[in-house]
Amino acid sequence: MTKEEIGYAVERIEHLEKIFDEVSSAFNSNPDFLNDKKMQVKVSLLTQYMESGQWLRDYSLDEKGELPADLKRGILSEDGLYNLICDIEQSKKQKSNPLFKFFQKDKTVFAIVWIAIYVLGFGNADFLSDSIGYPKLLTVIFGVLLSTVLINFIKTNGLFDYFGFCRPKRPAKDFLFYIPLFLISSVNLWFGFSADTEPLTAVLSVLSMFLVGFLEEIIFRGMFFSGMAENGIKTAIIVSSLTFGIGHIVNLLMGAPVFETLLQTVYASAIGFCYTAVFYKGKSLIPCIASHIFVNSTSIFAAQPSNEMLIITAALQTVLSIWYGIRILKKDKSLT
């Protein structure tokens, strides 16, 4: 390539580098960025540069060492320009999405609405499934639809990290290699199995419990806790844990025994605290989802212990969950 052509390339990169810096700064600091027509013209210039193939040619020149060493070339970083344009496009989608606007306006209220949808939806689906003679059938259908809506919302708005759909940000040793979580998850294996459920009902029940575990973690931890945490971690941990536990009282409306349900609210609150601690410190919902799904799914085949053993089991779960949660949180200065 001639010196003249390289000179043109340098001028082009310098010009677009200024635009790139200006757009990046405005995008991160100006809340009205998407309505700024001058900025949108500059975004179009950057988009055309990237999509025309000129960016790739300039990048190739840089790789060959033909550009001056002191040339500012942030725009030629492999991810810089692409990520900026993608983030801007994501913001445009979010701006036109009424569900995201609601989420952004008040994340806690948004979560409460979803809790109500979840509780009422699953309760009515259970009732209707029983009335047509196929227990859990409509519950599974409703759970799949609700999961699809939430996952689509998370994907469309780039919220995977916010909701914890990522690898834990801290090493497993910080969580005692999740051994206490495994012990809590295995509670339904402690007294053996009972296989007196019809095959179709068993399959639908397992699918239903799978969806319950999956959705409850998204709604109570990923959504409700995360929303409340923006206004205070301590309150968010306490309220989200107790809400999760007390929420199990609705099982009474579906004919669950009073004693067992009241006992469940106690240890479920403790387990909710444990899950919240794991999510808060690890920034990942994956361990909580895996544990919750396993507990729920195996409950279909769990043998029924005596009331005395139920109390002992509940006490063990409660103590282990609270100890584990405190063990995880104890080094957090914001909680002291």
Side-chain angles (χ1 to χ4, degrees), residues 53-54 73 120 269:
Q54 186 62 63
R73 47 171 52 77
L120 293 173
S269 296

Side-chain angles (χ1 to χ4, degrees), residues 230-292:
E230 295 184 4
N231 298 311
I233 295 298
K234 274 187 179 180
T235 301
I237 291 174
I238 295 169
V239 174
S240 63
S241 301
L242 291 176
T243 302
F244 174 69
I246 295 170
H248 288 79
I249 288 179
V250 299
N251 291 335
L252 292 173
L253 301 176
M254 291 174 271
V258 175
F259 175 74
E260 290 182 21
T261 302
L262 294 178
L263 205 58
Q264 187 181 34
T265 62
V266 175
Y267 66 74
S269 296
I271 292 174
F273 168 68
C274 165
Y275 286 162
T276 301
V278 170
F279 174 50
Y280 171 58
K281 296 300 288 185
K283 309 304 178 188
S284 174
L285 203 59
I286 303 303
C288 306
I289 290 175
S291 173
H292 202 153

